[in-house]
Amino acid sequence: MNKINNISIFGTSSDAGKSTITFVIAKILQDLGFKVAPFKAQNVSNNSHVCDDGSEIAIAQYFQAEVLGVKTSYHLNPVLLKSGRGSSASLIVEGKVLTNKDVREYYRDLDLLKPAVNRCFDYLDAKYDCVVCEGAGSPVELNLMDKDLSNIFIATEYNTKIILVADIEKGGVFASIWGVYNLLPEKLRKNVIGVIVNKFRGDLTLFDEGIRIIEEEFNIPVLGVLPYLPFNLGFEDSASLKNFVQQPKNKKLDIAVIAYPYMSNYNDFEPLIADDEVFVEFVSSNISLEKFDLVILPGSKLVIKDLKWLKETGLFEQIKNYKKDICAICGGYEMMFENLEDIYALENEEALKEEGFAFIPDDIIFEKEKILEKKTYELFGEKIAGFEIHHGMCEKYPLSYEKQNFKGTFVHQIFDNNEFRTKYFKSIKANYVGFDFQEYKKQTVDNFISTLKAKLDVEHLIKSIS
């Protein structure tokens, strides 16, 4: 196929649906025979994934690549910021932790990151017919436009065609479209090929007059009005996590996931949210855990801070005295040891030591070198494909620990494994049946894309980027 114009997906607000629209547009182009890759210059997220090349990128770009069947590498997301100690953030550039930086310092030194963004974009641009670039937040925060790598910088530097995505559910859709379009620099306004009105609930024909206003009075083509569809996959941040929908028809298990302030990698729980036999509740206050069959302690970006939070809320005592099943993953696993020592002040303002749950007879030491590993592990009697991403190390149980009603591991994505999940849940509730998560995932993605594709003006899209 011939090369076509690269595309930028700009939201007219945060959480407008840029991540999903990015992979929908990319998949439509791929199905037409083009080689397509997703890209986001800079992401801010505690949810990351280890790539095929052993680097680390945000979960959204990993998921987009997974949908497209594209090999994953740091090129898809060259700059990633994760919550750090105080006002600092952990800065990951081209897949590796560079430093902890104060956020103000980060913005001051932004120009130093542009070469990394250019290198990664140029690499993809040379390999693919089209790069679909996800923006970040709103592209016209006037006080930050000169510090915006994902929207203005990419669109200007590479002359991308621009699609605006507006969230009608938030209200003010006309103002947001008009405002963003008219606040864009003139050069970029000329590159806007249309707007997608997203998350419409009810009869789409009710917006026919809205389409006329946008096209005739704003002079912006409408590429489509898309229905609101719950999509319980690829959770990028806490905002998208709040949107999940569960209606288990054959509920067998109630599961509590402890949602501490710095919870990370909650994609681990997508198989549970998708499960027709499981109800998942994210617990963020000291409610009684007695009604749950299983309590899960998830990953954490700031483990000792979240451990202290558990103690302050009273959840620590509850979990310590909980007699039913407990599962702990990564940061949650680290909390289960006797002591946690941040000797280099990697996660805290100063070096400190904190007592853990003492379920596991060993200590956790936070080392400077981060473990980034993606492979198939021998875990809990199964071969499980997953990944590790942690600073915490221990001598005796460097991968997992199992005893009576407790299972813990550093490995993410254990619940994606159908055999392990089914066997584990059956041991808790004998009448649990189980399901094929991979088949569910494929069908959900395919149905989502085909439903939205039918509502998009694909012909206008192709004409505008050819």
Side-chain angles (χ1 to χ4, degrees):
M1 298 291 289
N2 292 329
K3 193 154 175 48
I4 50 178
N5 281 284
N6 297 314
I7 301 169
S8 284
I9 309 289
F10 283 5
T12 63
S13 64
S14 291
D15 199 35
K18 294 181 297 293
S19 295
T20 50
I21 299 300
T22 297
F23 75 70
V24 169
I25 296 292
K27 191 72 174 82
I28 288 169
L29 296 176
Q30 189 184 64
D31 289 347
L32 289 168
F34 297 101
K35 283 180 69 185
V36 190
F39 178 79
K40 186 162 184 171
Q42 172 207 310
N43 213 327
V44 181
S45 176
N46 280 348
N47 275 350
S48 61
H49 203 294
V50 179
C51 294
D52 297 325
D53 66 350
S55 65
E56 178 183 1
I57 64 171
I59 196 74
Q61 281 59 63
Y62 189 92
F63 183 80
Q64 290 158 356
E66 206 177 23
V67 169
L68 297 168
V70 169
K71 198 171 169 59
T72 54
S73 71
Y74 65 82
H75 301 94
L76 307 177
N77 174 215
V79 180
L80 174 61
L81 282 172
K82 298 175 111 175
S83 301
R85 57 192 183 207
S87 64
S88 76
S90 178
L91 177 61
I92 296 154
V93 179
E94 293 180 289
K96 300 292 179 193
V97 177
L98 203 63
T99 182
N100 273 314
K101 271 202 168 203
D102 184 275
V103 175
R104 284 166 300 190
E105 192 187 344
Y106 165 78
Y107 280 118
R108 195 188 65 219
D109 297 341
L110 204 65
D111 283 350
L112 301 176
L113 299 174
K114 288 177 180 175
V117 171
N118 289 136
R119 276 193 298 274
C120 292
F121 188 94
D122 291 342
Y123 171 86
L124 295 175
D125 193 34
K127 275 189 73 171
Y128 293 91
D129 300 322
C130 180
V131 183
V132 182
C133 312
E134 183 188 331
S138 160
V140 289
E141 301 298 335
L142 301 182
N143 57 323
L144 296 172
M145 277 169 81
D146 60 330
K147 301 174 179 67
D148 175 1
L149 287 177
S150 295
N151 298 301
I152 303 298
F153 175 69
I154 288 294
T156 305
E157 186 91 344
Y158 294 102
N159 201 31
T160 55
K161 296 295 182 182
I162 297 167
I163 296 173
L164 300 179
V165 180
D167 177 0
I168 196 165
E169 195 178 37
K170 284 191 173 84
V173 73
F174 297 106
S176 72
I177 294 168
W178 172 260
V180 168
Y181 179 74
N182 285 285
L183 286 171
L184 285 172
E186 188 184 351
K187 181 190 170 188
L188 297 190
R189 274 204 303 275
K190 289 175 180 170
N191 281 343
V192 174
I193 62 172
V195 62
I196 292 171
V197 177
N198 199 21
K199 303 185 192 176
F200 191 95
R201 293 179 187 262
D203 183 352
L204 296 178
T205 61
L206 294 172
F207 199 68
D208 286 351
E209 174 64 6
I211 294 173
R212 186 199 66 75
I213 291 166
I214 295 165
E215 293 196 324
E216 293 179 17
E217 297 182 26
F218 294 2
N219 205 24
I220 307 169
V222 175
L223 292 174
V225 180
L226 303 183
Y228 176 86
L229 290 177
F231 185 68
N232 294 340
L233 294 168
F235 295 125
E236 182 181 15
D237 51 29
S238 55
S240 59
L241 184 69
K242 285 169 190 162
N243 292 336
F244 82 86
V245 176
Q246 274 185 109
Q247 292 166 328
K249 296 179 181 67
N250 304 299
K251 191 180 79 159
K252 313 277 173 56
L253 283 114
D254 281 290
I255 296 178
V257 175
I258 306 299
Y260 13 77
Y262 298 99
M263 176 175 66
S264 67
N265 289 88
Y266 24 79
N267 309 85
D268 284 340
F269 310 112
E270 287 173 10
L272 311 189
I273 289 167
D275 196 334
D276 207 29
E277 300 175 86
V278 170
F279 185 78
V280 180
E281 187 169 333
F282 287 89
V283 174
S284 56
S285 61
N286 192 18
I287 64 165
S288 170
L289 300 176
E290 285 311 305
K291 67 173 180 177
F292 297 104
D293 306 298
L294 170 65
V295 170
I296 301 176
L297 283 86
S300 163
K301 181 62 187 74
L302 299 175
V303 182
I304 291 176
K305 276 189 166 62
D306 280 340
L307 178 57
K308 286 180 170 180
W309 176 85
L310 288 175
K311 291 175 180 178
E312 286 160 13
T313 57
L315 280 167
F316 183 88
E317 277 305 310
Q318 269 212 77
I319 294 164
K320 205 167 171 74
N321 297 319
Y322 188 72
K323 296 290 185 278
K324 290 182 269 186
D325 284 83
I326 294 175
C327 179
I329 300 169
C330 198
Y333 181 56
E334 292 170 356
M335 294 177 190
M336 292 292 139
F337 285 74
E338 290 173 338
N339 297 290
L340 292 82
E341 296 188 54
D342 187 4
I343 52 179
Y344 303 110
L346 296 174
E347 292 191 0
N348 302 277
E349 285 74 17
E350 56 188 15
L352 59 85
K353 179 177 178 178
E354 185 72 21
E355 281 186 22
F357 282 92
F359 281 25
I360 305 172
D362 199 3
D363 291 344
I364 288 285
I365 309 292
F366 291 96
E367 299 289 358
K368 287 180 180 175
E369 194 64 35
K370 191 188 226 179
I371 294 276
L372 290 172
E373 187 90 61
K374 182 190 179 195
K375 63 182 185 184
T376 299
Y377 299 85
E378 293 277 353
L379 271 181
F380 310 126
E382 299 289 341
K383 282 186 163 55
I384 295 179
F387 66 96
E388 293 173 76
I389 187 163
H390 54 94
H391 284 283
M393 314 287 174
C394 67
E395 283 183 19
K396 295 180 190 169
Y397 307 101
L399 199 61
S400 65
Y401 181 87
E402 189 174 12
K403 186 180 179 183
Q404 294 162 332
N405 65 336
F406 173 78
K407 281 181 173 57
T409 181
F410 274 119
V411 179
H412 291 286
Q413 279 192 327
I414 57 173
F415 294 117
D416 284 42
N417 183 285
N418 297 322
E419 289 75 18
F420 164 72
R421 188 181 64 254
T422 304
K423 195 191 293 181
Y424 186 22
F425 290 176
K426 268 185 183 294
S427 75
I428 298 171
K429 283 288 171 81
N431 61 344
Y432 177 82
V433 178
F435 78 117
D436 185 332
F437 177 62
Q438 286 65 41
E439 186 54 36
Y440 164 87
K441 197 170 179 176
K442 185 183 182 307
Q443 281 188 7
T444 302
V445 169
D446 289 350
N447 292 342
F448 187 80
I449 290 169
S450 62
T451 303
L452 299 193
K453 181 183 175 181
K455 307 292 182 191
L456 288 168
D457 188 344
V458 176
E459 200 179 320
H460 178 79
L461 169 68
I462 300 302
K463 203 164 75 176
S464 303
I465 60 176
S466 298

